[in-house]
Amino acid sequence: MAKKFTPLELQIMQALWDLGPICIRDIQETFAERDRPAYNTIQTTVYRLEQKKAVRRARKIGNAHIFEAVVTRDSTQRGLLDDLLRLFGGRSQPVMEHLIETGNLTLHDVKEAEKTLKRLGRKEKPE
C-alpha cells in the first residue's frame, strides 16, 4: 500500500530520492532560502516519516544522523496517480483533458503513451 505524504513530507522525500542518504541539515538546504522551513520543522517531519517507515536512519556521522528513503519514488508516484484517478471515478479522460488544456501534455507525451499502450496490448494477446 502506498504511503500518504503531506506536501512538506513529499519535498523531503524528493530530496532523499534525488540526493540519496543525507542529514537533516542537507535536507533543509534543498529548500529555496525564502521558503526554507526551520531546522526543527524538517527534523520533526523526518522523524514523522521515520515513524511511517518511509525513511530510516542509515548511519550516524558525529552527532548527525544520515537518513535514507525506504519507499521508492516510483511506488509513491503510482500511489498518488491511483488516488487521483479514484477522485475521477477511475476515468483518465478528465485528467488528460486538463493536461492538454494547460499545456502539460505534449504530442511527444501522447506518442510515448501510445507506444506503451501498444507494448502492453501485445503482452495481453494470447499467443
Side-chain angles (χ1 to χ4, degrees):
M1 183 180 200
K3 306 267 186 222
K4 304 287 186 215
F5 298 120
T6 66
L8 178 58
E9 289 172 340
L10 262 178
Q11 281 188 273
I12 290 170
M13 293 304 298
Q14 290 282 3
L16 291 165
W17 291 323
D18 292 344
L19 301 173
I22 54 177
C23 66
I24 291 171
R25 178 72 60 207
D26 290 341
I27 293 170
Q28 185 189 29
E29 293 294 321
T30 65
F31 288 80
E33 197 169 333
R34 62 177 172 69
D35 298 324
R36 188 171 294 157
Y39 179 89
N40 289 345
T41 302
I42 299 292
Q43 182 179 41
T44 300
T45 307
V46 168
Y47 291 163
R48 190 176 313 126
L49 287 166
E50 188 178 30
Q51 289 173 340
K52 288 182 174 185
K53 300 194 183 316
V55 304
R56 69 175 164 229
R57 295 172 201 225
R59 62 186 179 279
K60 189 174 182 180
I61 299 175
N63 288 333
H65 289 281
I66 306 300
F67 291 88
E68 65 185 359
V70 174
V71 297
T72 65
R73 183 190 316 253
D74 186 58
S75 68
T76 302
Q77 288 173 338
R78 288 177 187 275
L80 288 170
L81 287 172
D82 289 345
D83 288 347
L84 178 66
L85 287 176
R86 269 192 294 281
L87 181 66
F88 289 95
R91 295 181 48 240
S92 60
Q93 187 59 34
V95 177
M96 302 263 305
E97 284 177 17
H98 175 74
L99 292 172
I100 291 167
E101 289 169 0
T102 59
N104 289 311
L105 184 67
T106 66
L107 191 53
H108 175 72
D109 295 329
V110 171
K111 288 179 181 176
E112 289 299 312
E114 193 173 55
K115 287 179 192 175
T116 302
L117 283 170
K118 285 179 182 177
R119 185 184 79 242
L120 293 174
R122 279 196 294 269
K123 288 182 181 179
E124 293 173 5
K125 291 179 183 173
E127 294 185 26

